[in-house]
Amino acid sequence: MMRRHAAAMLAMTATGLGPGLALGGCAGKARGGAATTPAPSATAEAETFGAADWRRVATPADRERMRRWRDAWVAGLAAVPRTTAREVAAQGVLFDPDAALPGAVPPAGDYRCRVFKLGRRGGAGAGSAGPGYVAYAWFACRVGAARADGTMPLVKLTGSQRYVGTLYPQDGRRAAFLGTLVLGDEVRTIDYGRSAERDIAGWVDRVGTARWRLAMPYPAFESVLDVMELVPAGG
């Protein structure tokens, strides 16, 4: 089953993910059906942005989440249980909000990636708050080649929660990520902007020689901040 997931995600990466369209490439309804692509909101603010500016694509809710990135870091770290404080400290700069280095966008290629959940909250449909700190095992991710507008696809290929989306370089020290969440046995993605519970937004930083992170503030479920670490697969 995992091989089928990986093959489906690889096909998405190969086709290229349109930055203002269905970020999953293989877009469609969650349970099948004809694919539809909602047009970005036309606002006076959006007209001033460049073609590859993430703000032209992001929903109002995600723009707000991105603006509050530091609040999420502070709240998430403060809620880590004392019993796991040593484990958190062992990650070093990965959990330092201000550790960004030049070269925010990882080069195209295959990566190992793992997700950490910081803090606890009860999101829509989440049922109950999370445990405060969770560290998952390593999975497979891929960064695709840059498109003409400078954006790059980023896909988490394996695991029960998989991200499919686009990197938008913003400046030398960070890049924006917008995408959607694919769950369980699903092989199709929901178009970005169609489900607030599936939309993902975050900032990408380089925090080491060959170490990057995707920090996703205020996800819909469980945590206050999700952090995905990426290192080259051959490293």
Side-chain angles (χ1 to χ4, degrees):
M1 181 66 69
M2 198 63 68
R3 291 180 178 176
R4 185 176 67 182
H5 290 159
M9 297 302 169
L10 288 172
M12 295 175 188
T13 305
T15 57
L17 309 177
L21 303 176
L23 297 182
C26 185
K29 297 180 180 179
R31 299 297 178 183
T36 59
T37 302
S41 300
T43 65
E45 181 185 32
E47 293 175 357
T48 67
F49 300 149
D53 196 301
W54 66 272
R55 291 167 292 182
R56 295 193 65 178
V57 181
T59 64
D62 282 351
R63 289 198 295 270
E64 177 64 17
R65 285 198 286 183
M66 298 284 268
R67 281 193 291 267
R68 297 178 59 204
W69 65 272
R70 185 173 291 277
D71 293 340
W73 271 109
V74 172
L77 290 171
V80 170
R82 293 182 180 180
T83 54
T84 56
R86 181 174 296 180
E87 183 178 349
V88 170
Q91 300 305 321
V93 295
L94 184 67
F95 294 145
D96 179 353
D98 299 311
L101 299 171
V105 180
D110 293 330
Y111 290 81
R112 293 189 301 135
C113 52
R114 59 177 175 171
V115 175
F116 300 85
K117 289 181 175 290
L118 306 180
R120 56 173 64 89
R121 64 191 292 264
S128 62
Y133 175 77
V134 178
Y136 290 95
W138 290 98
F139 291 99
C141 286
R142 171 166 293 176
V143 176
R147 309 183 187 94
D149 62 2
T151 62
M152 303 174 72
L154 169 61
V155 180
K156 183 174 180 286
L157 296 167
T158 56
S160 60
Q161 298 181 16
R162 303 176 301 282
Y163 312 141
V164 179
T166 295
L167 294 172
Y168 297 80
Q170 169 143 342
D171 54 44
R173 291 187 180 271
R174 67 179 182 177
F177 174 82
L178 298 176
T180 56
L181 183 65
V182 182
L183 299 173
D185 293 337
E186 296 174 349
V187 295
R188 284 190 166 192
T189 66
I190 297 175
D191 293 352
Y192 175 77
R194 293 188 63 183
S195 171
E197 290 188 350
R198 296 295 190 97
D199 289 345
I200 301 169
W203 293 109
V204 176
D205 310 298
R206 186 172 71 87
V207 294
T209 301
R211 191 185 190 192
W212 289 262
R213 71 181 176 204
L214 167 59
M216 298 162 277
Y218 303 107
F221 304 103
E222 302 174 331
S223 52
V224 174
L225 179 73
D226 288 352
V227 179
M228 185 170 75
E229 178 183 9
L230 298 101
V231 296

